[in-house]
Amino acid sequence: MRTFALVGLVIAAFVAQTTAAGAQMSDAALAERVADAVLNYAKFSIFDDVNINVDNRNVVLTGRVTIPLKRTEIEQRVAQIDGVRSLTNEIGVLPVSQTDDRLRRVVANAIYNHANFWRYAQRSHPPIHIIIEHQRVTLTGVVENQGDRILAYSLAQVSGVLSVENRLQVSLR
């Protein structure tokens, strides 16, 4: 079995792999194709988080997106990939909230306008994702070091935020 997570736009492989026999696509190769489909979806943003699990070419999508259309279109993109045996879409849709929308902008500005995070903001797929639901922030993705992880957590604690959960991972390179 091979498990993959697209955390804020970075693929992290976890543990074991089943080798597919003959011409069948491996779970690893399939997970990469699924991740590319999600990353290259034009509407996927720093306010969305999609995780990918592939086991024996059975794909499970989890995470949260800001609007139902994203959930549907991501599912459609993944379903078209050759090699997908089955697809389960468990991506949740964040509730509509003007307060959460305002906080998304404020938290994103606090993080990505900070000098320490300019290098992340300049990437085609910024790696820090900001998921806000009912004024509660969850940070996902991958940063380069523990200092950036701690600083992002601190910067996310803006006025109006009730809590911050830091799920940022530190890159292993």
Side-chain angles (χ1 to χ4, degrees):
M1 178 177 94
R2 190 176 258 275
T3 304
F4 283 85
L6 177 65
V7 181
L9 300 175
V10 177
I11 305 169
F14 299 105
V15 200
Q17 171 184 357
T18 301
T19 305
Q24 287 184 344
M25 180 180 300
S26 72
D27 284 352
L30 181 57
E32 288 178 24
R33 292 178 78 184
V34 172
D36 285 344
V38 174
L39 284 172
N40 292 315
Y41 173 56
K43 296 174 186 155
F44 188 77
S45 77
I46 62 170
F47 304 120
D48 304 307
D49 181 44
V50 174
N51 302 294
I52 301 162
N53 182 339
V54 178
D55 182 17
N56 197 23
R57 296 185 300 127
N58 298 305
V59 178
V60 178
L61 302 174
T62 58
R64 308 289 275 172
V65 294
T66 54
I67 59 173
L69 179 66
K70 290 180 183 183
R71 179 187 192 281
T72 301
E73 289 182 348
I74 289 171
E75 178 179 9
Q76 290 169 347
R77 291 174 66 89
V78 172
Q80 294 175 0
I81 297 172
D82 274 345
V84 172
R85 178 175 291 156
S86 70
L87 173 60
T88 304
N89 186 354
E90 297 177 355
I91 298 172
V93 178
L94 295 166
V96 175
S97 166
Q98 290 180 350
T99 300
D100 287 351
D101 286 343
R102 181 187 61 78
L103 286 174
R104 285 182 188 101
R105 290 187 300 274
V106 172
V107 172
N109 284 332
I111 292 172
Y112 283 113
N113 285 334
H114 190 280
N116 280 24
F117 296 102
W118 288 347
R119 68 188 183 281
Y120 296 118
Q122 294 174 352
R123 296 181 186 174
S124 59
H125 301 292
I128 300 171
H129 285 250
I130 302 159
I131 310 305
I132 300 182
E133 185 171 9
H134 304 299
Q135 297 175 268
R136 290 171 173 75
V137 177
T138 302
L139 300 176
T140 64
V142 177
V143 292
E144 295 172 4
N145 57 61
Q146 186 66 16
D148 286 349
R149 183 179 184 277
I150 293 167
L151 181 58
Y153 172 78
S154 177
L155 292 170
Q157 298 186 36
V158 300
S159 178
V161 166
L162 299 178
S163 66
V164 177
E165 181 178 352
N166 193 352
R167 291 187 191 167
L168 289 171
Q169 297 176 358
V170 177
S171 174
L172 299 177
R173 23 176 200 138

